[in-house]
């Protein structure tokens, strides 16, 4: 299963160019990697979001696999239906191939409005992988805060103003919440860590039950970053332990990348304009608060990953 | 041989579902639909029905599951009521424009507030413009018959639209009634197999479904949907005629009772047609030319046919179990008015609109008798003083 | 100009039956900087390829043979991710 770029480059791209995601969109990098990782037939259900409006604009589609969108909050429910149809029709001999199922949604469609559908579909045990392209805000509607938006980030509905310095709440730890559903495979990653990401997609699709991958993905419009540096920003998310690479396989937590020289969180904050106000003197306590939370979470994660 | 059974409306719908054999059934419980969802689950648990039963976490997901399943080539069904229908509202036009032939039972129940679990037609009437075919059922027999026909209409390759089959909550869903059931084999042969146009499971022919369309294409998608719904009127009759052959029960777009020579008519939807018929019989004996038009197919609206049926009456009352707040009148009233406008007939009746039976308020012989009496007064005066009224509201 | 289809001609239910049809939609004109690839420097590690959001790095027989300017939006990720010791891609500004 070792992933080798030279071998991979021989594969057909099932996510085709000509899509309308912004130049340098991290979600586009992720989509390509996912579709290169996939082996054998898959069906995708996607939630309303940037990649929805940009990859399926009638009469153009960037998908070379069966694909459906019907709303914002229901990608996991829709794929539940497709999977149920598969089971029924397979039993009747009307479908003979082995098919895998993927639902995809942004952080809005996963953490917030789509959370119920995801939680329900996982609890019901459908055999599907849910991928969250988590750019930490509602980008399609123009950068509004979500449950994934980090403390202090400026978005248009958590603006940094004279009185309030950006988002006032921490994000929720959705990966852990999904792990608490006892899904057989749960992981988080980023497209900078392409090998990790693609390995996780393959592992998740091999599972006989629900699986979930939370992918931190860059959006230079929302993050106010320099487009070309976005992959490096994702690297910093991991190197500062803001976004550890780990997986939970049948309840067993495993760190996939041991950060040896943990960088201070300011390294992750600095290149992103959405945090610009946090560089001001008076906002240093916020930075300290973020750092403290990261440290605590990192220790907790290490403990979970070492507990055998 | 057909079986005679004593069943509630919910039982009858469950029995039809057992015979229809959906590949996928998804539902979330809500009074007064609950027994139906439970009964289908029991069929599956007992091995009587081979269906993927998806016990979803909400009605939004039951419709999402049905969309996914149906577009993956499965026969998909669900059932709901009131708030449940409202909760999946977003997906109603989506299901229809994606042309997924989902069939749904709606057990009519009032909208909040105040909360009320009894019958009003707020739910399905509110959903009238979502692009679904809507069939209404007076009793358990009609629910059973309509539901089987609904699948055939929905899955017809020239139609491919979702169908909502409605019955009155509690009044029908929970009342035991004698009805005739078809043999399983007959239903199976009548329906045949569902063959999707594009299936998500045809992995060698990958299709993209539900893309966004910009102003350059949106209109064409909607026009295509609109035409299919209009066209379905003929198909509904064709299916009814075919169904008559296997069941001996014939259905039309609406039922005309003593209407041919009637002077005074009531237009009504669902269970209250029963009591109305009784009043018509009584009035006829007294020499009053009363008649009844009971809507069966509300979407697509059989405008021309209804105009033909009503144009020679003197006064007509459209009775409805829902209000279209702030509108000209309730849904059926507005549609019939528009139908006369469109038809430009010289003859047309005077027409009034009464709201009745809200939240399960009993409608009796007296109430209906009063309506026919009003119609006669209007005729005598030659004009309408009050065209819109709540029939049973205390002052 | 592409011909717009009428309502009778489009497949029902919004279906797009031509898989991957977006290849007909060329996004190259969005570009305001142009990546130029130097074959002599390139070690064919394919990092640029795996990071390109638009699948615009052309790989043939495991070698990067060029850039597909029909789709390349000029984001500069390929140039930034090409290993610092190699730097086989340079971005040329204001050039389509
Ligand atoms: C029910 C509903 N509410 C709101 C919207 C508007 N809406 C569309 S996409 C979106 C945000 C998507 O954010 P996210 O899921 O994070 O995806 P992204 O665009 O960031 O990739 C919103 C709010 C909608 N389409 N449907
Ligand atoms: S706004 Fe952000 S997420 Fe959306 S397409 Fe642009 S870069 Fe990608
Ligand atoms: S500039 Fe961006 S789009 Fe163009 S080839 Fe490089 S990575 Fe791909
Ligand atoms: S990243 Fe640089 S060295 Fe590697 S393949 Fe691309 S151009 Fe060549
Ligand atoms: Mg987002």
């Amino acid at each position: 299963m070792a992933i080798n770029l030279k071998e991979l480059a021989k594969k057909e791209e099932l996510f085709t160019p000509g899509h309308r995601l912004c130049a340098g969109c991290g979600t586009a990098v992720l989509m390509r990697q996912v579709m290169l990782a996939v082996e054998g037939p898959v069906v995708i259900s996607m939630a309303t979001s940037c990649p929805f409006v940009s990859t399926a604009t009638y009469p153009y589609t960037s998908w070379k696999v069966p694909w459906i969108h019907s709303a914002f909050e229901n990608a996991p429910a829709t794929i539940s239906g497709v999977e149920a149809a598969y089971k029924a029709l397979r039993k009747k001999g009307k479908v003979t191939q082995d098919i895998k199922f993927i639902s995809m949604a942004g952080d809005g469609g996963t953490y917030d409005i789509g959370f119920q559908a995801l939680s329900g579909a996982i609890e019901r045990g459908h055999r599907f992988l849910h991928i969250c392209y988590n750019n930490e805000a509602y980008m399609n509607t123009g950068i509004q805060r979500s449950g994934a938006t980090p403390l202090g980030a400026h978005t248009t509905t958590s603006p940094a103003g004279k009185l309030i310095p950006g988002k006032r709440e921490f994000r929720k730890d959705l990966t852990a919440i999904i792990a608490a559903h006892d899904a057989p495979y749960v992981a988080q990653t980023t497209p900078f860590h392409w090998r990790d990401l693609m390995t996780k997609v393959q592992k998740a699709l091999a599972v006989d039950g629900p699986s979930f991958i939370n992918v931190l993905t860059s959006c230079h419009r929302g993050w106010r970053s320099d487009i070309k540096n976005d992959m490096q920003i994702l690297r910093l998310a991991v190197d500062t332990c803001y976004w550890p690479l780990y997986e939970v396989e049948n309840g067993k937590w495993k760190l996939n990348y041991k950060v040896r020289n943990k960088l201070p969180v300011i390294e992750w904050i600095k290149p992103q304009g959405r945090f610009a106000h946090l560089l001001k003197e008076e906002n240093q306590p916020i930075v300290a608060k973020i750092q403290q939370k990261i440290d605590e979470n990192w220790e907790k994660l290490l403990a979970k990953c070492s507990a055998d | 041989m057909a079986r005679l059974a004593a069943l509630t409306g919910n039982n009858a719908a469950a029995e039809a579902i057992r015979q229809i054999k959906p590949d996928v059934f998804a539902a979330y419980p809500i009074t007064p639909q609950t027994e139906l969802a439970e009964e289908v689950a029991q069929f599956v648990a007992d091995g009587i029905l081979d269906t993927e039963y998806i016990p979803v976490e909400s009605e939004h997901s039951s419709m999402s599951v049905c969309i996914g399943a149906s577009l993956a080539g499965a026969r998909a069904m669900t059932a709901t009521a009131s708030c449940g229908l409202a909760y999946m509202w977003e997906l109603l036009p989506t299901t229809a424009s994606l042309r997924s032939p989902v069939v749904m039972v709606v057990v009519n129940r009032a909208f909040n507030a105040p909360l009320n679990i009894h019958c009003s037609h707020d739910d399905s009437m509110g959903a009238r413009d979502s692009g679904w075919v809507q069939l209404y059922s007076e009793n358990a027999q009609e629910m059973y018959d309509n539901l089987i026909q609904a699948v055939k209409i929905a899955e017809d390759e020239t139609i491919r639209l979702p169908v909502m089959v409605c019955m009155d909550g509690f009044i029908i869903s929970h009342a035991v009634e004698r009805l005739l059931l078809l043999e399983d084999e007959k239903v199976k042969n009548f329906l045949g197999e569902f063959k999707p146009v594009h299936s998500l499971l045809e992995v060698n022919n990958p299709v993209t479904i539900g893309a966004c369309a910009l102003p350059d294409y949106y209109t064409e998608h909607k026009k295509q949907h609109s035409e299919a719904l209009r066209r379905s009127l003929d198909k509904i009759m064709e299916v009814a005629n075919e169904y008559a052959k296997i069941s001996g029960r014939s259905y039309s777009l609406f039922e005309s009772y003593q209407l041919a020579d009637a002077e005074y008519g009531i237009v009504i939807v669902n269970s209250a047609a029963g009591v109305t018929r009784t009043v018509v019989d009584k009035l006829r004996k007294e020499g009053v030319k009363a008649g009844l038009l009971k809507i069966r197919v509300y979407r697509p609206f059989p405008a021309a046919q209804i105009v033909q049926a009503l144009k020679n009456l003197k006064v007509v009352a459209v009775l409805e179990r829902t209000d279209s707040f702030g509108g000209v009148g309730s849904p059926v009233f507005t549609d019939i008015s528009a139908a006369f406008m469109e038809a430009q007939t010289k003859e047309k009746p005077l027409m009034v609109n009464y709201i009745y039976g809200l939240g399960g308020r009993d409608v009796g012989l007296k109430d209906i008798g009063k309506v026919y009496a009003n119609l006669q007064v209007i005729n005598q005066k030659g004009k309408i003083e009050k065209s819109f009224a709540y029939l049973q509201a205390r002052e | 100009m592409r011909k717009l289809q009428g309502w009778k001609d489009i497949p029902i239910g919004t279906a797009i039956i031509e898989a991957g049809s977006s290849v007909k939609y060329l996004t190259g004109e969005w570009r305001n900087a142009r990546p130029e690839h130097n074959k002599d420097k390139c070690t064919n590690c394919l990092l640029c390829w795996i990071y390109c959001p638009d699948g615009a790095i052309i790989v043939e027989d495991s070698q990067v043979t060029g850039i597909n300017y029909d789709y390349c939006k000029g984001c500069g990720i390929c140039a930034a991710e090409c290993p610092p010791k190699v730097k086989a891609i340079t971005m040329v500004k204001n050039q389509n």
Side-chain angles (χ1 to χ4, degrees):
Chain A
M1 212 158 71
I3 287 162
N4 169 316
L5 291 183
K6 292 208 155 68
E7 285 307 308
L8 215 54
K10 292 177 189 156
K11 278 179 88 170
E12 183 187 6
E13 300 251 4
L14 299 173
F15 177 72
T16 59
H19 62 74
R20 305 176 195 197
L21 288 151
C22 297
C25 173
T27 298
V29 180
L30 159 66
M31 292 302 162
R32 266 195 72 222
Q33 292 180 1
V34 169
M35 294 318 290
L36 283 164
V38 157
E39 275 160 359
V42 293
V43 181
I44 293 177
S45 138
M46 184 181 271
T48 317
S49 56
C50 270
F52 159 60
V53 300
S54 312
T55 68
T57 314
Y58 197 90
Y60 302 111
T61 176
S62 298
W63 302 95
K64 282 192 154 179
V65 296
W67 182 100
I68 178 170
H69 161 270
S70 68
F72 182 19
E73 62 276 55
N74 68 348
T78 308
I79 210 71
S80 300
V82 180
E83 191 246 12
Y86 171 73
K87 275 199 207 150
L89 299 180
R90 182 130 199 196
K91 209 159 32 167
K92 290 173 187 159
K94 291 187 184 175
V95 175
T96 49
Q97 276 163 295
D98 280 324
I99 304 177
K100 304 276 166 73
F101 302 93
I102 303 178
S103 63
M104 297 189 185
D107 46 297
T110 304
Y111 282 62
D112 296 347
I113 199 166
F115 179 66
Q116 173 178 306
L118 175 62
S119 178
I122 291 177
E123 185 268 334
R124 291 191 302 271
H126 294 278
R127 192 166 58 73
F128 78 113
L129 160 63
H130 183 84
I131 296 176
C132 173
Y133 32 95
N134 176 5
N135 49 26
E136 304 195 314
Y138 303 163
M139 299 311 179
N140 186 47
T141 36
I143 319 164
Q144 293 84 30
R145 64 131 23 231
S146 77
T149 304
L151 180 77
H154 165 97
T155 70
T156 56
T157 53
S158 64
K162 286 189 184 120
L163 193 62
I164 302 170
K167 195 187 174 211
R168 287 190 279 190
E169 304 81 17
F170 284 110
R171 60 186 171 167
K172 59 175 153 177
D173 187 356
L174 194 76
T175 314
I177 294 169
I178 301 300
H181 283 64
D182 272 346
Y185 188 81
V186 174
Q188 63 179 39
T189 185
T190 91
F192 173 77
H193 306 83
W194 55 270
R195 192 190 300 276
D196 184 72
L197 186 149
M198 295 165 95
T199 308
K200 284 174 175 169
V201 169
Q202 292 183 346
K203 269 183 147 177
L205 287 175
V207 157
D208 187 18
S211 52
F212 172 78
I213 306 180
N214 197 348
V215 188
L216 185 73
T217 151
S218 55
C219 163
H220 53 83
R221 282 188 64 235
W223 293 10
R224 300 191 179 176
S225 51
D226 182 355
I227 306 182
K228 65 180 186 299
N229 291 339
D230 276 359
M231 290 298 124
Q232 291 305 313
I233 294 177
L234 293 176
R235 179 178 65 77
L236 288 166
V238 173
D239 290 349
T240 56
C241 297
Y242 171 83
W243 191 261
L245 303 183
Y246 69 90
E247 64 192 350
V248 188
E249 214 173 342
N250 296 316
K252 206 167 168 291
W253 293 63
K254 185 179 166 200
L255 201 61
N256 303 113
Y257 174 66
K258 294 209 172 68
V259 182
R260 297 236 156 66
N261 302 315
K262 186 175 164 205
L263 299 176
V265 72
I266 196 73
E267 296 300 322
W268 147 258
I269 288 174
K270 259 190 320 204
Q272 303 185 52
R274 63 177 170 154
F275 297 125
H277 52 288
L278 296 188
L279 303 179
K280 288 188 202 153
E281 193 53 42
E282 69 266 29
N283 287 330
Q284 288 320 297
I286 300 173
V287 176
K289 210 169 143 187
I290 297 170
Q291 184 66 60
Q292 192 193 342
K293 184 82 169 175
I294 287 176
D295 294 345
E296 281 170 20
N297 285 348
W298 178 241
E299 289 308 317
K300 274 192 225 160
L301 181 65
L302 288 179
K304 279 181 192 160
C305 291
S306 63
D308 244 350
Chain B
M1 269 300 289
R3 273 187 297 138
L4 181 68
L7 299 176
T8 65
N10 274 339
N11 295 152
E15 191 56 18
I17 291 166
R18 188 189 62 71
Q19 297 182 313
I20 289 164
K21 294 192 201 314
D23 298 299
V24 175
F25 183 85
Y28 192 81
I30 179 168
T31 309
Q33 159 268 32
T34 310
E35 286 77 3
L36 169 49
E38 290 171 342
E39 205 169 335
V40 176
Q42 193 67 50
F43 286 154
V44 175
D46 291 339
I48 299 172
L49 175 61
D50 186 10
T51 285
E52 286 298 319
Y53 188 102
I54 312 297
V56 282
E57 80 302 326
S58 76
E59 289 86 354
H60 197 280
S61 287
S62 58
M63 193 47 70
S64 303
V65 163
C66 285
I67 291 175
S70 161
L71 294 170
R75 177 174 288 164
M77 296 181 77
T78 182
T80 192
S82 184
C83 321
L85 187 69
Y87 197 51
M88 64 168 71
W89 207 273
E90 173 190 16
L91 295 166
L92 296 178
T94 307
T95 313
S97 279
L98 290 180
R99 308 292 290 279
S100 20
V102 174
V103 172
M104 169 160 64
V105 173
V106 175
V107 187
N108 289 112
R109 164 180 157 180
F111 273 163
N112 305 349
L115 186 144
N116 174 294
I117 56 171
H118 298 278
C119 185
S120 277
H121 296 162
D122 305 343
D123 43 12
S124 59
M125 278 296 166
R128 65 192 180 277
D129 293 335
S130 57
W132 286 55
V133 172
Q134 285 194 334
L135 305 180
Y136 286 83
S137 328
E138 181 184 336
N139 49 38
Q141 180 77 65
E142 290 193 9
M143 165 47 78
Y144 173 82
D145 292 337
N146 277 340
L147 199 51
I148 293 169
Q149 292 176 64
V151 174
K152 186 133 179 121
I153 297 161
E155 292 177 0
D156 188 278
E157 59 188 20
T158 64
I159 308 298
R160 296 290 151 144
L161 284 171
V163 183
M164 226 177 261
V165 185
C166 313
M167 67 174 150
D168 284 352
F170 287 107
I171 305 165
I172 300 305
S173 68
H174 285 64
V176 178
E177 166 188 326
R178 280 149 62 91
L179 67 153
L180 284 165
L181 304 174
L182 296 171
E183 297 87 334
D184 292 2
E185 221 24 53
K186 262 193 185 170
V187 176
K188 187 177 166 198
N189 295 337
F190 176 70
L191 295 178
E193 302 233 320
F194 170 48
K195 290 185 203 72
V197 183
H198 313 287
S199 163
L200 290 165
L201 296 180
E202 259 183 64
V203 287
N204 301 329
N205 270 321
V207 62
T208 290
I209 297 177
C212 71
L214 302 178
D216 63 348
Y217 266 106
Y218 186 81
T219 306
E220 283 63 33
H221 291 296
K222 288 296 167 183
K223 167 76 175 165
Q224 193 192 58
H225 172 187
S226 170
E227 285 299 322
L229 189 53
R230 281 171 186 275
R231 212 171 41 235
S232 68
L233 207 57
D234 291 341
K235 183 56 68 179
I236 292 167
M237 276 318 297
E238 208 180 299
V239 170
N241 294 336
E242 243 182 277
Y243 189 76
K245 284 187 208 141
I246 63 158
S247 67
R249 292 182 291 278
S250 43
Y251 286 92
S252 307
L253 301 171
F254 49 87
E255 179 194 324
S256 303
Y257 186 72
Q258 299 282 25
L259 213 54
D261 67 338
E263 294 178 340
Y264 310 106
I266 284 182
V267 177
I268 212 156
V269 179
N270 274 3
S271 67
V275 61
T276 311
R277 223 180 269 108
T278 310
V279 175
V280 170
D281 289 346
K282 184 172 155 276
L283 290 172
R284 283 277 169 174
K285 278 189 200 131
E286 294 164 7
V288 180
K289 289 188 170 175
L292 158 71
L293 188 152
K294 181 188 78 181
I295 305 269
R296 171 174 177 253
V297 180
Y298 181 49
R299 285 291 182 269
F301 191 66
Q305 294 84 344
I306 287 182
V307 165
Q308 276 310 312
L310 295 179
K311 68 173 199 227
N312 294 318
L313 272 72
K314 289 184 169 153
V315 195
V316 169
V318 178
L319 260 59
E320 277 210 82
R321 262 198 143 103
T322 187
D323 191 353
S324 163
F325 296 99
V328 177
S330 62
V332 178
F333 176 83
T334 320
D335 278 320
I336 296 178
S337 307
F340 274 102
M341 198 66 185
E342 182 200 53
Q344 299 181 36
T345 46
K346 267 202 212 95
E347 317 80 11
K348 58 170 90 97
L350 293 172
M351 202 159 74
V352 291
N353 186 196
Y354 299 143
I355 310 299
Y356 79 99
L358 299 187
R361 173 87 44 106
D362 236 4
V363 57
L365 299 170
K366 258 195 193 154
D367 299 300
I368 301 294
K370 215 167 78 185
V371 173
Y372 280 112
N374 281 354
L375 300 187
Q376 293 170 65
V377 172
I378 291 169
N379 186 44
Q380 277 156 17
K381 290 189 179 162
K383 67 173 179 109
I384 297 167
E385 264 150 25
K386 205 173 167 199
S387 67
F388 176 83
Y390 269 53
L391 207 57
Q392 300 161 305
R394 286 183 298 276
E395 290 299 322
Chain C
M1 266 296 282
R2 91 198 142 93
K3 193 175 172 304
L4 293 171
Q5 287 181 297
W7 69 269
K8 289 179 188 157
D9 301 325
I10 53 177
I12 72 160
T14 81
I16 303 174
I17 50 178
E18 189 186 345
S21 59
S22 72
V23 293
K24 292 181 181 163
Y25 189 83
L26 306 186
T27 51
E29 51 191 70
W30 297 16
R31 200 168 48 235
N32 57 22
R34 175 190 176 100
E36 284 183 356
H37 176 247
N38 183 334
K39 266 189 211 162
D40 300 335
K41 286 190 183 171
C42 176
T43 63
N44 294 303
C45 67
L46 303 191
L47 285 176
C48 55
W49 172 78
I50 197 67
Y51 288 129
C52 173
D54 291 279
I57 304 284
I58 305 168
V59 177
E60 283 162 324
D61 293 332
S62 308
Q63 317 265 314
V64 173
T65 55
I67 284 157
N68 189 336
Y69 295 112
D70 279 347
Y71 306 111
C72 166
K73 295 173 187 159
C75 68
I77 288 177
C78 52
E81 293 306 323
C82 182
K85 285 188 191 140
V86 184
K87 286 288 162 220
I89 299 179
T90 36
M91 298 302 292
V92 184
K93 276 254 160 71
N94 304 321
Q95 219 180 312
N96 191 276

